[in-house]
Amino acid sequence: MNTYDCDIDFLKIKSFSELRDAVINFDYEEDENNIYIVYNNTIKKVDSIEGISFYKNSDDRLGNIVIVYNGTRFRGCNIFFGKKSGLIVGYSKYEIRNVKYHMQWSVNNIIRIGRNFSSQGVAFKLYSENIYIGNECMFSWGITIFSGDGHYIYDESGKRINENEEVIIGNHVWCCCDAKILKGTTVMDNSVIATDAVVSKKYHDEGIIIGGFGEILKKNIEWSRRPKK
């Protein structure tokens, strides 16, 4: 596989079309799935990534792009390809475990995960809107993130009333076990999503604890992976 000079910051990319344009000169092919590892000033196209299994549910799941920064370690992760969809994972000093990236329902959308992400078990369900995760986020197990409902609901006039919406999680967010993050959610920096929470709102405050029914339990908090000295 070829290696190319590259100074692109993929963690600033906001759409699949922008991602495709970024890799178009790096041996990108629409009739295959394209997997890349990013090094300091280069990018390399590869066939596989240790710790990730790749699945294609049908022959038309092609043109996808996976970008992973060198040194990131995965264990027990799966990617289910969609149609011309993307996954970007920034460098993490933590091992990323038991993540399922479900892109099989997506066309022209991306999941973008920032630096130093950790997980014990997350399912990303990507529909026709993007999912963005910030830097330094810590996710527990049993977590599911949806950018859509999967099926369709209409009112009496025949208008769809459950459109898909993007999900935005800020920097340094701790998501506790068994939480469900639904379409349209925005969580700001330095926040905590409680165990078993079901979240579907746009929160405008940083440093909050979000409770089981999406209510704000406390404001002006900070959290840390380790005790303060």
Side-chain angles (χ1 to χ4, degrees):
M1 292 292 183
N2 293 328
T3 299
Y4 303 90
D5 292 336
C6 177
D7 60 359
I8 298 168
D9 185 353
F10 289 96
L11 297 179
K12 293 182 178 179
I13 285 177
K14 297 180 179 179
S15 67
F16 180 78
S17 60
E18 187 181 352
L19 177 59
R20 182 192 57 220
D21 291 346
V23 302
I24 199 71
N25 294 320
F26 303 147
D27 198 25
Y28 170 74
E29 298 288 346
E30 288 192 354
D31 59 355
E32 64 181 55
N33 291 311
N34 305 266
I35 305 168
Y36 299 92
I37 296 178
V38 178
Y39 298 85
N40 287 336
N41 295 300
T42 60
I43 186 170
K44 183 177 182 180
K45 193 171 185 181
V46 298
D47 292 323
S48 63
I49 296 173
E50 185 176 356
I52 302 178
S53 297
F54 297 87
Y55 299 93
K56 187 174 67 171
N57 291 348
S58 63
D59 290 339
D60 63 348
R61 272 28 180 196
L62 298 170
N64 298 282
I65 301 168
V66 175
I67 301 282
V68 170
Y69 278 72
N70 181 50
T72 303
R73 294 169 293 125
F74 298 88
R75 184 196 301 182
C77 297
N78 299 320
I79 293 176
F80 301 87
F81 284 123
K83 296 180 181 179
K84 295 183 180 178
S85 296
L87 170 65
I88 303 167
V89 182
Y91 167 74
S92 182
K93 61 185 177 182
Y94 307 105
E95 188 174 61
I96 298 174
R97 303 176 183 173
N98 305 318
V99 178
K100 292 178 171 56
Y101 305 95
H102 289 277
M103 305 191 294
Q104 63 264 42
W105 309 292
S106 168
V107 180
N108 295 322
N109 299 105
I110 65 170
I111 302 168
R112 190 191 69 204
I113 300 172
R115 293 182 293 276
N116 290 326
F117 174 77
S118 67
S119 162
Q120 298 297 320
V122 181
F124 290 93
K125 308 275 190 173
L126 182 67
Y127 292 92
S128 61
E129 293 291 344
N130 301 322
I131 298 174
Y132 305 111
I133 309 294
N135 300 322
E136 304 289 346
C137 288
M138 182 174 72
F139 280 41
S140 187
W141 61 84
I143 297 163
T144 310
I145 303 174
F146 305 82
S147 65
D149 294 332
H151 300 287
Y152 305 86
I153 302 174
Y154 301 92
D155 65 15
E156 63 276 9
S157 71
K159 179 183 177 182
R160 186 180 179 187
I161 59 173
N162 68 328
E163 295 289 345
N164 300 329
E165 298 179 64
E166 70 181 12
V167 174
I168 303 173
I169 306 297
N171 298 318
H172 193 60
V173 172
W174 172 14
C175 186
C176 299
C177 62
D178 297 318
K180 303 294 181 285
I181 301 173
L182 307 184
K183 66 178 189 179
T185 296
T186 297
V187 175
M188 303 298 285
D189 297 352
N190 304 312
S191 296
V192 177
I193 302 171
T195 296
D196 288 321
V198 179
V199 184
S200 60
K201 300 177 183 178
K202 290 178 171 60
Y203 299 89
H204 302 291
D205 295 324
E206 297 184 3
I208 60 174
I209 299 177
I210 302 169
F213 296 99
E215 73 277 24
I216 297 176
L217 299 179
K218 193 169 182 61
K219 295 184 177 181
N220 301 315
I221 63 98
E222 57 178 303
W223 69 270
S224 173
R225 290 176 182 259
R226 301 286 184 268
K228 286 189 172 182
K229 295 181 179 180

